[in-house]
Amino acid sequence: MGIISYLIDQPKTTAKELSEKFQVNRRTIMRDIDDLTLAGIPLYCKKGKNGGIYLMDSVQMNKPPLSKRELESIEGSLKSRMQVLNDDSTFNAILKLNKMEDISDFEIDLSLSKGNIELRKLVLNVLKAIRNNQLICFDYINSQGEESEKTAEPYRVVFKDRSWYMDAYCYSTERFNVYKLARISNLNTKGTFSKRDYQPITYNGGEWMEKDKISVQLLVNKIVLDKFLELLGKESVEKVDNTWYRVVYSLKDNVFGYNKLLSYGKFVRVVSPETFRNHFIKYIDEIKSFY
C-alpha cells in the first residue's frame, strides 16, 4: 500500500530508495513489487542506468469531491472488501482515497498467510473463467475424503464464514453444486460454454449449510467470548458468572462440529444435549489414543 501511495506522487523510484523509506531490505521490496504485480497493480520495472520502478500512466488518481468523514467511511468499506478479495479495482479505489493528507484513524491488517495467498490466486483464476465463460477441470476431495475429477461451468464465487466457495454446474452430476475452493487442486480451463439458467444458491442459512445441525448449549469462557459475540450477537449470550457465559450454537453432530468446538480448547464446555456431549467426549478419547 505504501509503495503505491509513494509512486502516486513520485513518477519513478528505485528499490534502494524504497528500502530506505520503509526501512526494509531490497529483497523485501522486490517481493512486494512481485505481489503487487500479481494482484493486477500496473507496475513495471526497468533495468539499466535510467531504470527504476514505475506506476503506469493509465492509473489516474484524482481526489474525489467528498468530505473527510465520507472518504474515511468509504475507505473502511473498501479495505474490508480488499481483505476478502484483492482485486485491482478495489485496490485502486483505496489508493485514490489515500490521497488525503491526514493519517487514517481506521486500519485493517491485510497481511495474509501463505494458504490465503494461494487461495486468492485460485479465486482470481475462477473469476477469470466465469467472466470468459470458460469450462474448468479440477481434482476435488469432498468432505468424506472421496477424490474425483470434475468438469464444470463456473457461475459464482462466494466468501462465507472465512471460506471460499464456488457455484458451478457439474457435468458428472448434471446439476448445480457448491464446491469449497480449498478442496480444489489442479484447476485448468477447457474450452468455453454457453450459460444456462442459473439461480444463485442460498448461502445465508441455506438448507445445504444448515442441514443436520442441532442446537447445542455451551458454556463459553470470557477469554473466547468475543468469537461468539461476532457469530451470534449480544442477544444470544447470557452471563452466568464473572467467567462463564451461556450460548446456544448450531453444530453438526459429527467430526466437523467437534473440531469447531476443539478450536476453542478448554474455554468451551458442552452442556447439552447429552447425546452430543457423549459423542464429543468419545471423539476426544479417540484423539487421545493417538498420543
Side-chain angles (χ1 to χ4, degrees), residues 104-159:
S104 174
D105 59 0
F106 179 75
E107 188 60 57
I108 294 176
D109 185 358
L110 298 176
S111 59
L112 297 170
S113 65
K114 182 177 180 181
N116 278 327
I117 291 172
E118 292 172 351
L119 268 178
R120 186 163 291 176
K121 293 176 185 177
L122 178 59
V123 169
L124 294 175
N125 287 336
V126 172
L127 284 175
K128 182 179 179 182
I130 292 171
R131 291 163 183 167
N132 294 326
N133 291 356
Q134 291 179 304
L135 278 173
I136 55 174
C137 301
F138 54 92
D139 296 330
Y140 193 73
I141 303 177
N142 67 16
S143 60
Q144 306 303 313
E146 299 167 339
E147 300 182 25
S148 60
E149 295 180 359
K150 301 288 185 183
T151 299
E153 302 171 1
Y155 282 81
R156 187 173 66 142
V157 171
V158 174
F159 185 74

Side-chain angles (χ1 to χ4, degrees), residues 150-152 168-177 179 196:
K150 301 288 185 183
T151 299
Y169 183 85
C170 176
Y171 281 11
S172 57
T173 62
E174 297 185 339
R175 66 170 185 244
F176 282 100
N177 293 326
Y179 297 97
R196 61 187 75 225

Side-chain angles (χ1 to χ4, degrees), residues 7-269:
L7 282 169
I8 291 170
D9 296 319
Q10 305 289 332
K12 184 183 81 169
T13 187
T14 63
K16 180 177 182 295
E17 186 176 335
L18 290 173
S19 66
E20 291 173 353
K21 178 173 178 59
F22 296 107
Q23 297 182 344
V24 295
N25 59 46
R26 296 189 196 184
R27 183 175 298 178
T28 298
I29 291 296
M30 294 314 298
R31 273 203 307 267
D32 290 342
I33 295 295
D34 289 341
D35 289 342
L36 290 169
T37 303
L38 183 63
I41 306 304
L43 293 173
Y44 70 97
C45 300
K46 182 179 178 181
K47 295 182 179 181
K49 183 178 180 181
N50 297 315
I53 301 168
Y54 303 80
L55 183 65
M56 293 185 182
D57 294 336
S58 59
V59 181
Q60 300 298 321
M61 298 295 173
N62 298 318
K63 185 189 293 184
L66 297 171
S67 70
K68 177 184 174 183
R69 186 177 295 274
E70 289 170 330
L71 288 169
E72 289 176 343
S73 178
I74 295 170
E75 181 184 6
S77 299
L78 288 170
K79 284 182 177 179
S80 295
R81 172 186 166 88
M82 184 177 158
Q83 192 175 27
V84 174
L85 179 60
N86 189 10
D87 59 318
D88 56 346
S89 60
T90 303
F91 203 112
N92 285 335
I94 292 172
L95 295 180
K96 292 180 182 180
L97 297 175
N98 276 340
K99 287 293 288 179
M100 295 185 300
E101 294 181 0
D102 296 332
I103 297 174
S104 174
D105 59 0
F106 179 75
E107 188 60 57
I108 294 176
D109 185 358
L110 298 176
S111 59
L112 297 170
S113 65
K114 182 177 180 181
N116 278 327
I117 291 172
E118 292 172 351
L119 268 178
R120 186 163 291 176
K121 293 176 185 177
L122 178 59
V123 169
L124 294 175
N125 287 336
V126 172
L127 284 175
K128 182 179 179 182
I130 292 171
R131 291 163 183 167
N132 294 326
N133 291 356
Q134 291 179 304
L135 278 173
I136 55 174
C137 301
F138 54 92
D139 296 330
Y140 193 73
I141 303 177
N142 67 16
S143 60
Q144 306 303 313
E146 299 167 339
E147 300 182 25
S148 60
E149 295 180 359
K150 301 288 185 183
T151 299
E153 302 171 1
Y155 282 81
R156 187 173 66 142
V157 171
V158 174
F159 185 74
K160 172 72 174 177
D161 292 340
R162 294 175 292 180
S163 294
W164 290 100
Y165 299 91
M166 172 182 67
D167 293 358
Y169 183 85
C170 176
Y171 281 11
S172 57
T173 62
E174 297 185 339
R175 66 170 185 244
F176 282 100
N177 293 326
V178 173
Y179 297 97
K180 191 171 185 178
L181 293 192
R183 297 181 178 277
I184 288 177
S185 61
N186 301 322
L187 180 79
N188 291 293
T189 57
K190 180 183 178 181
T192 59
F193 66 94
S194 298
K195 288 192 174 180
R196 61 187 75 225
D197 291 336
Y198 160 69
Q199 293 297 323
I201 298 171
T202 302
Y203 281 71
N204 188 18
E207 181 181 352
W208 73 275
M209 296 193 78
E210 299 302 316
K211 185 180 179 182
D212 300 328
K213 282 188 177 181
I214 61 174
S215 295
V216 180
Q217 187 177 135
L218 306 172
L219 285 178
V220 175
N221 191 289
K222 62 183 179 182
I223 291 175
V224 295
L225 179 62
D226 60 305
K227 307 297 183 183
F228 290 88
L229 288 172
E230 291 172 349
L231 287 168
L232 306 174
K234 290 183 178 180
E235 293 182 357
S236 301
V237 176
E238 177 188 353
K239 187 173 183 179
V240 175
D241 55 34
N242 290 332
T243 302
W244 295 95
Y245 293 76
R246 183 179 290 108
V247 303
V248 176
Y249 191 27
S250 294
L251 291 164
K252 292 191 175 184
D253 193 359
N254 58 26
V255 295
F256 300 104
Y258 312 148
N259 285 337
K260 185 171 285 290
L261 286 182
L262 285 173
S263 68
Y264 300 108
K266 63 182 181 181
F267 302 113
V268 170
R269 300 177 185 174

